[in-house]
Amino acid sequence: MTSRLVVIPTRRAHSNHAEVARSIGIDIIAGRYAEGARLPGDAELTAMFGVSRPVLRESVKTLVAKGLLTTKARVGTVVRERGAWNMFDADVLAWHLDAGIDRRFLNDLAEIRLAVEPRAAALAASRRSEADIAELNRSMERMRREASDSVGFADGDLALHLAVANASGNLFMRSIGNVIEAALRASFLLSAPVETQDRETVLLWHQRIVDAIASGDAEAATAAMTEVIHNGLRRHEDVSPSSGAAPAVSAVVEPGEQS
C-alpha cells in the first residue's frame, strides 16, 4: 500500500548554506537520496546550487550534525540510515513537512505523544496554577469558537496541549512540546473532526482533560489525554488510502522562523 503523503510547506531558510542544507535535507527525507547512497561530488553540487565550496561544506556540516549525513575518507558524503536522524531537531521536522508526511510519520508522532503527554497531564493535575487553568480554558474556548477544519481550531488544540506541557512543570516536557509544535499542528489539521459527532467527541474529551487538571485528578487527566491521542490516530486512519480517500492532499501551516 502506497503511503498517503501530505505536504505542509514551511518558510524558506535565510542564508545560502541553510538553504542548501534544507534542499539536500528534503531530498534525503523524500527518498531522492536513499539511505547509504553517496551524494554527488563537490563540483557537481556547487554547480547545482550555484554556491561556493565553503558554503557547500558548511551545509554538509549542518546535515552531519543533524544525523542525516556522514563523511567517510575515500568514500565521500553518505546518507545515514533513518534511525540516526535527529527527529527532535526543528529543521529535520520542518523538512519532513516539506517532503510530505505519511502514515509512518503520524504513527511515530502518536507513539511519542503517548509516551509523554499522559504523564504531563498527570503532573499538571498536581502542579497547575490558576494561570495554567485560565490558559487551558482559553484554548477550549477557541476550539469551540472555530470551525473544526480551520487553522484556528488546530491552533486552539495545539495551545491546549502546550499549556498542559507547561503546567506539568517539567522542563523536558515543555521542550518536547515546543520542538514538535509544527508537527502537532499539521497532525491536528489532518485529523480535523469535520463530522458533527466527531467534533463533539473531540471537544468532550479535551474538556475532560481540562476539568481533570483543574480538579487535581491525575488519573482522570491521564485517561482523558490517552483517549484524545488515540481518537486522533483513529481519525488519521479513517482518511488512509485503504478507506478510499484521495491519495494526496495539501495543507498550509504558518511555520515558525527557521535559521
Side-chain angles (χ1 to χ4, degrees):
M1 182 176 68
T2 302
S3 296
R4 176 175 181 268
L5 288 179
V6 185
V7 178
I8 315 289
T10 60
R11 188 169 300 158
R12 297 179 70 83
H14 297 298
S15 64
N16 284 341
H17 87 264
E19 181 56 36
V20 172
R22 173 182 177 273
S23 181
I24 296 174
I26 292 171
D27 282 345
I28 291 171
I29 290 166
R32 288 186 279 273
Y33 294 123
E35 295 178 20
R38 186 171 61 185
L39 290 191
D42 286 1
E44 184 175 344
L45 288 174
T46 54
M48 181 188 305
F49 292 109
V51 296
S52 64
R53 285 181 183 271
V55 167
L56 177 63
R57 288 169 185 161
E58 190 65 27
S59 304
V60 170
K61 285 181 182 178
T62 296
L63 293 168
V64 169
K66 296 176 186 297
L68 273 67
L69 293 175
T70 184
T71 55
K72 299 180 179 179
R74 297 185 297 278
V75 174
T77 305
V78 177
V79 177
R80 296 189 68 185
E81 67 280 6
R82 183 185 177 100
W85 301 353
N86 181 6
M87 292 300 295
F88 284 110
D89 181 273
D91 287 332
V92 174
L93 276 173
W95 298 339
H96 272 83
L97 303 185
D98 282 319
I101 55 178
D102 56 13
R103 175 80 69 79
R104 177 179 179 181
F105 180 94
L106 293 169
N107 285 346
D108 286 350
L109 179 62
E111 287 173 358
I112 190 61
R113 292 182 64 200
L114 285 168
V116 174
E117 288 195 81
R119 180 56 180 163
L123 290 173
S126 62
R127 299 174 176 174
R128 80 285 183 274
S129 66
E130 291 303 316
D132 291 325
I133 295 172
E135 179 60 29
L136 289 167
N137 284 322
R138 279 193 293 271
S139 300
M140 278 303 311
E141 289 169 6
R142 183 170 189 185
M143 290 179 70
R144 293 186 187 282
R145 186 172 64 245
E146 300 282 354
S148 299
D149 58 353
S150 68
V151 172
F153 186 91
D155 282 346
D157 197 347
L158 174 63
L160 188 147
H161 287 271
L162 293 179
V164 171
N166 188 64
S168 75
N170 184 295
L171 295 177
F172 289 99
M173 290 178 176
R174 292 176 183 174
S175 295
I176 289 174
N178 290 330
V179 167
I180 65 175
E181 179 176 342
L184 284 176
R185 184 183 286 109
S187 173
F188 295 155
L189 275 170
L190 296 173
S191 63
V194 292
E195 300 296 332
T196 300
Q197 185 57 51
D198 283 343
R199 176 183 172 87
E200 291 305 312
T201 298
V202 166
L203 292 174
L204 171 66
W205 282 100
H206 280 76
Q207 187 64 58
R208 287 183 178 179
I209 294 173
V210 176
D211 292 343
I213 291 174
S215 64
D217 190 336
E219 184 175 348
T222 299
M225 181 64 78
T226 301
E227 175 58 27
V228 161
I229 297 170
H230 279 302
N231 188 39
L233 192 56
R234 284 192 292 270
R235 291 198 305 282
H236 283 308
E237 292 171 349
D238 286 343
V239 293
S240 69
S242 60
S243 68
V249 63
S250 178
V252 177
V253 175
E254 288 296 327
E257 289 285 350
Q258 294 182 50
S259 58

